[in-house]
């Protein structure tokens, strides 16, 4: 996620901006920049890389203006570079932006036809040209901003300056957060409170479709029609560190709760329900290429490998293309049978995992067409692949992967639909229905997250167990593995995921009254089989913690604990089954007092073998 700050006051504007951006570094970024007035002109200083480079760049300069905006960029459109860094300026209008403008290409073409020349690949630059174009047509600064925003579709948090009104700053919000800081004789806008907590604790939290006009010491909140709104300021008593976590105790918990929004951002701009169509910015195959595909090989590590396992079910079921899956460290050394009829998909949150990168090279060496599913724009694996589908989960700080995993499942589902549509194995009407079900998932995830306190109670009840077993079948067998991995990597309790059908082949020997067994019971064609496995556990006094779709009264009698899961299409059920398992692991680890965000022995990205 990008970071935004804006300032209107009498302090050294450049210092307030860069200090504020430092408080937003936790959001992750690849470039930074500021725009400040000097005399009557907006000066822009921006660079790829860390804030220290920007500070070095301006260390010998002084700017006498008292209005400015600053930005740390987490690239979504356009690779990290000086010219793609924010702020972006057109005429006398400078803009910083956090979010994704879905219709920016259409707007850009219209503006180019009017003679506008663009210097970057970003969606943001379109906003500065749009506002400037309206001002040149006679609109006031504020009217131009409102009219421009009415033409945008997508998400934005904006900071906007104009050389014609140097004592005015405008902020705007739609789906990306923006707060207004009310200081003593000074005013702020920011993506998040940590950026300005050192100056004020009084904040106005903007809602979607609202703008704020900072001028004459006042913050006027308005809607897009220009109607002034009365919004009571709130007092924020968080420490800056607490505020970086949005008030959550750990980044991992914050990222679990960000999952609905992360899914929406990963779907955004890629589906047309009306047309039953899917498209990706950085990946497209011609129908002939899809028809020529003999198989898909999905390769990854850790949690990303569990996503690969789910992806196999999705692609084989929807597109009817055979899928092989491999752990990257195995794939790279087994001389795999890959050829040009293979689409190799590599999944990596960081885009830097050494084994996955090596596997990608091996697959490409053997002639595969490569597609990366990554969360970090322009990461090594993204750059080395022929195509890329970015998950838009935003930076994932916690070592245990949560929102990145969920958005990988969403990306794989979209990929499966894309391939199926391209192959003609499903027609548009079915795609429309499947997309409608996908679009319900973020809301169902929110419903599950509302039960977090129940999961916390359950976690505490079993936190002293020394071993856990997780059982699943079919598309939820990978989720049993993922639930076990989450628990072991942050609570340090031994946990094993197993295909439920394997119980009789060994694991059943482990069952006793000390062994909590987490069983995933989806509403699918193997439900009855899983119910049989529950009987096997109960018959040996095992403790059954069942996660079950639908409200089957039978399961209530058979399980010691029951976590209801909302009903959804079987291929999407892994997304919903995962969320309680993430929270179960989190609350056990937190109850044990572990360092949840940086668990012992682990790194966020394994860049060595
Ligand atoms: C997951 O919780 C772990 N942090 C780990 O298994 C991780 O998924 C694995 O190292 C792969 O990382 P990547 O997705 O960045 O390639």
């Amino acid at each position: 996620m990008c970071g935004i700050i804006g300032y209107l006051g009498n302090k050294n504007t450049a210092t307030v901006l860069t200090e504020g951006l430092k408080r937003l570094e936790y959001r992750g970024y690849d470039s930074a920049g500021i725009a400040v007035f000097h005399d009557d002109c907006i000066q822009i200083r921006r660079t790829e890389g860390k804030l220290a480079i920007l500070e070095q760049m301006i260390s010998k300069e002084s700017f006498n203006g008292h209005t400015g905006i600053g930005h740390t960029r987490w690239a979504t459109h356009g690779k990290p570079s000086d010219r793609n860094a924010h702020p972006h300026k057109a005429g006398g209008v400078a803009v910083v932006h956090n979010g994704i403008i879905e219709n920016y290409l259409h707007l850009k073409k219209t503006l180019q036809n009017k003679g506008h020349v663009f210097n970057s690949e970003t969606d943001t630059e379109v906003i500065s040209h749009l506002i400037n174009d309206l001002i040149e047509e006679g609109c006031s600064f504020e009217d131009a901003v409102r009219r421009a925003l009415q033409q945008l579709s997508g998400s934005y948090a904006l900071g906007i300056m104009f050389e014609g009104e140097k004592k005015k700053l405008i902020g705007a919000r739609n789906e990306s957060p923006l707060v207004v800081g009310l200081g003593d004789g000074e005013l702020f806008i920011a993506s998040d409170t940590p950026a300005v907590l050192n100056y004020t604790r009084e904040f106005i939290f903007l809602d979607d479709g609202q703008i704020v006009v900072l001028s004459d010491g006042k913050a006027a909140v308005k809607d897009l029609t220009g109607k002034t709104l009365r919004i009571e300021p709130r007092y924020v008593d968080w420490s800056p560190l607490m505020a970086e976590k949005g008030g959550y105790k750990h980044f991992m918990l914050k990222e679990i709760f960000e999952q609905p929004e992360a899914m929406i951002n990963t779907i955004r701009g890629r589906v047309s329900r009306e047309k039953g169509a899917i498209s990706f910015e950085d990946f497209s195959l011609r129908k002939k290429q899809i028809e020529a595909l003999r198989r898909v090989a999905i390769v990854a590590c850790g949690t990303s490998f569990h996503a690969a396992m789910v992806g196999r079910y999705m692609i084989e079921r929807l597109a009817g293309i055979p899928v092989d899956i491999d752990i990257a460290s195995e794939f790279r050394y087994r001389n795999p049978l890959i050829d040009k009829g293979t689409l190799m998909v590599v999944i990596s949150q960081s885009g830097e995992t050494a084994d996955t990168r090596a596997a990608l090279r091996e697959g490409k060496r053997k002639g595969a067409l490569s597609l990366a599913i990554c969360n970090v724009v322009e990461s090594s694996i993204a750059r080395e692949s022929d195509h890329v589908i970015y998950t838009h989960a935003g930076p994932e700080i916690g070592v245990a992967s949560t929102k990145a995993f969920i958005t990988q499942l969403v990306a794989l589902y979209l990929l499966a639909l894309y391939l199926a549509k391209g192959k003609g194995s499903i027609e548009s009407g079915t795609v429309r229905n499947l997309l409608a079900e996908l679009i319900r998932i973020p809301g169902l995830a929110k419903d599950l997250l509302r039960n977090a306190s129940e999961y916390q109670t359950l976690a505490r009840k079993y936190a002293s167990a020394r071993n856990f077993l997780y059982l699943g079948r079919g598309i939820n067998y990978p989720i049993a593995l993922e639930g076990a991995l989450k628990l072991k990597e942050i609570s340090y309790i031994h946990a094993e995921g197993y295909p439920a059908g394997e119980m009789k082949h060994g694991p059943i020997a482990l069952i006793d009254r000390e062994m909590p067994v987490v069983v995933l019971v989806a509403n699918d064609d193997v439900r009855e089989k899983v119910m049989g496995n529950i009987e096997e556990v109960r018959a040996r006094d095992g403790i059954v913690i069942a996660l079950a779709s639908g409200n089957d009264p039978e399961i209530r009698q058979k399980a010691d604990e029951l976590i209801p899961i909302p009903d959804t299409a079987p291929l999407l059920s892994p997304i919903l089954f995962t969320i309680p398992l993430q929270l179960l692991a989190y609350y056990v680890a937190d109850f044990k007092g572990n360092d949840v965000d940086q668990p012992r022995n682990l790194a966020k990205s394994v860049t060595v073998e």
Side-chain angles (χ1 to χ4, degrees):
M1 294 166 287
C2 304
I4 286 177
I5 183 168
Y7 178 67
L8 192 56
N10 295 315
K11 290 188 177 72
N12 178 313
T13 303
T15 303
V16 172
L17 297 175
T18 50
E19 287 306 312
L21 291 178
K22 278 183 192 161
R23 304 300 315 175
L24 295 176
E25 283 191 295
Y26 72 90
R27 299 164 71 91
Y29 68 104
D30 47 56
S31 37
I34 62 170
V36 288
F37 267 101
H38 185 67
D39 295 335
D40 296 329
C41 292
I42 292 175
Q43 301 293 325
I44 288 188
R45 301 290 182 271
R46 62 189 187 179
T47 179
E48 183 185 353
K50 292 303 173 195
L51 267 172
I53 301 171
L54 177 66
E55 286 183 305
Q56 182 57 38
M57 184 188 272
I58 61 176
S59 59
K60 304 268 185 298
E61 297 190 80
S62 71
F63 307 98
N64 59 17
H66 297 289
T67 308
I69 50 180
H71 187 264
T72 48
R73 182 173 184 244
W74 170 266
T76 51
H77 292 88
K79 64 183 180 187
S81 65
D82 292 355
R83 70 193 185 98
N84 285 337
H86 301 203
H88 289 282
K89 188 163 178 281
V93 177
V95 174
V96 289
H97 168 224
N98 175 31
I100 298 172
I101 302 302
E102 294 168 14
N103 62 333
Y104 83 99
L105 288 174
H106 164 70
L107 293 170
K108 186 169 183 174
K109 214 183 273 12
T110 308
L111 288 160
Q112 283 170 323
N113 294 340
K114 292 177 77 172
H116 286 255
V117 176
F118 288 82
N119 306 307
S120 81
E121 305 156 304
T122 66
D123 51 345
T124 305
E125 190 184 359
V126 171
I127 302 171
S128 56
H129 283 268
L130 196 53
I131 295 169
N132 185 55
D133 190 56
L134 287 160
I135 289 173
E136 287 182 352
E137 285 177 0
C139 287
S140 71
F141 176 29
E142 189 182 318
D143 284 349
V145 168
R146 276 206 304 277
R147 287 180 57 183
L149 297 182
Q150 286 159 6
Q151 298 180 51
L152 301 183
S153 77
S155 58
Y156 56 76
L158 296 169
I160 311 160
M161 299 161 66
F162 171 49
E163 285 176 345
E165 296 196 57
K166 65 185 207 176
K167 289 201 178 305
K168 184 174 277 186
L169 185 59
I170 296 180
R173 176 210 155 122
N174 191 51
E175 298 183 23
S176 291
L178 194 71
V179 300
V180 183
L182 308 175
D184 181 9
E186 55 190 7
L187 295 163
F188 305 82
I189 56 171
S191 300
D192 203 353
T193 57
V196 294
L197 273 178
N198 292 336
Y199 305 99
T200 181
R201 300 257 165 184
E202 287 290 317
F203 289 92
I204 290 172
F205 291 79
L206 292 187
D207 271 334
D208 290 350
Q210 293 178 351
I211 69 169
V212 62
V213 180
L214 306 184
S215 63
D216 306 325
K218 287 197 299 300
V221 179
K222 304 184 178 182
D223 65 17
L224 293 190
T225 66
K227 180 166 158 273
T228 300
L229 306 169
R230 258 207 73 61
I231 298 186
E232 283 308 309
R234 279 167 46 191
Y235 183 78
V236 172
D237 60 0
W238 287 337
S239 69
L241 183 60
M242 271 177 73
E244 285 179 16
K245 296 171 187 168
Y248 291 98
K249 188 175 179 183
H250 295 101
F251 279 113
M252 181 183 176
L253 189 59
K254 177 173 178 244
E255 287 153 9
I256 289 172
F257 277 82
E258 283 175 344
Q259 292 181 126
E261 181 193 352
M263 285 192 267
I264 291 168
N265 285 337
T266 300
I267 296 166
R268 188 190 303 282
R270 290 171 165 167
V271 302
S272 161
R273 281 178 56 189
E274 303 66 50
K275 296 191 201 118
I278 296 99
S279 63
F280 301 100
E281 313 81 54
D282 302 310
F283 169 59
S284 67
L285 293 179
R286 292 186 309 281
K287 188 169 178 54
K288 274 198 172 27
Q289 284 179 292
I290 296 176
E291 284 163 349
L293 284 180
R294 280 201 287 281
R295 66 199 177 95
V296 173
I298 316 180
V299 181
C301 296
T303 284
S304 298
F305 175 69
H306 298 151
M309 294 174 75
V310 174
R312 171 167 62 179
Y313 284 93
M314 293 175 169
I315 295 169
E316 289 193 344
R317 190 70 55 84
L318 293 173
I321 302 172
V323 179
D324 295 327
I325 55 173
D326 265 287
I327 287 177
S329 54
E330 291 299 310
F331 178 89
R332 66 183 290 193
Y333 295 115
R334 71 174 177 79
N335 192 18
L337 299 179
I338 293 280
D339 60 21
K340 61 182 179 359
T342 304
L343 173 63
M344 182 178 184
V345 179
V346 286
I347 305 175
S348 176
Q349 184 288 128
S350 62
E352 301 300 341
T353 299
D355 282 325
T356 308
R357 198 171 167 190
L360 168 63
R361 288 176 178 164
E362 176 68 357
K364 288 184 71 173
R365 189 177 65 78
K366 288 177 174 267
L369 179 68
S370 59
L371 163 64
I373 295 179
C374 279
N375 193 45
V376 180
V377 172
E378 289 297 308
S379 54
S380 305
I381 289 172
R383 274 202 314 272
E384 292 179 28
S385 297
D386 299 312
H387 301 273
V388 59
I389 296 175
Y390 285 117
T391 50
H392 292 309
E396 190 174 66
I397 313 297
V399 164
S401 187
T402 51
K403 61 177 183 174
F405 174 67
I406 290 294
T407 53
Q408 287 166 355
L409 299 187
V410 170
L412 285 160
Y413 189 75
L414 291 174
L415 173 63
L417 285 175
Y418 177 85
L419 294 173
K421 189 90 186 306
K423 258 194 78 180
S425 48
I426 51 173
E427 34 87 39
S428 300
T430 309
V431 175
R432 270 196 293 276
N433 297 337
L434 294 171
L435 286 177
E437 193 57 33
L438 173 65
I439 287 162
R440 285 182 64 233
I441 295 295
L444 296 176
K446 274 191 186 138
D447 295 343
L448 280 172
L449 291 167
R450 286 192 197 98
N451 302 330
S453 59
E454 291 168 36
Y455 308 148
Q456 182 174 32
T457 305
L458 187 60
R460 289 181 170 175
K461 188 173 173 183
Y462 296 99
S464 59
R466 298 176 58 71
N467 297 285
F468 275 74
L469 192 58
Y470 287 70
L471 302 178
R473 277 185 189 251
I475 198 167
N476 283 297
Y477 160 44
I479 306 308
L481 295 174
E482 175 57 13
L485 174 60
K486 287 280 107 32
L487 185 72
K488 67 184 130 190
E489 68 176 317
I490 60 175
S491 76
Y492 317 145
I493 296 172
H494 175 251
E496 241 183 313
Y498 244 95
E502 274 292 286
M503 280 288 280
K504 293 188 181 65
H505 303 281
I508 202 165
L510 292 171
I511 306 300
D512 62 22
R513 66 181 68 249
E514 307 301 319
M515 171 76 86
V517 181
V518 178
V519 190
L520 309 184
V521 191
N523 245 347
D524 57 17
D525 49 6
V526 288
R527 181 186 180 90
E528 287 318 307
K529 300 291 180 197
V530 177
M531 294 298 282
N533 298 124
I534 288 178
E535 290 298 347
E536 290 172 340
V537 174
R538 282 164 46 95
R540 290 155 184 86
D541 294 334
I543 303 160
V544 175
I545 299 172
L547 281 69
S549 322
N551 268 324
D552 180 344
E554 184 194 0
I555 193 101
R556 274 183 196 287
Q557 288 143 24
K558 295 188 172 184
D560 296 282
E561 313 288 351
L562 175 61
I563 296 178
I565 302 294
D567 239 348
T568 185
L571 290 180
L572 292 168
S573 61
I575 295 175
L576 299 178
F577 274 90
T578 299
I579 293 171
L581 298 182
Q582 294 168 336
L583 287 166
L584 214 52
Y586 170 79
Y587 286 123
V588 169
D590 181 44
F591 187 61
K592 293 183 68 175
N594 290 359
D595 182 351
V596 172
D597 284 332
Q598 271 89 33
R600 68 186 183 198
N601 311 333
L602 292 177
K604 183 59 188 167
S605 175
V606 183
T607 55
V608 294
E609 266 203 82

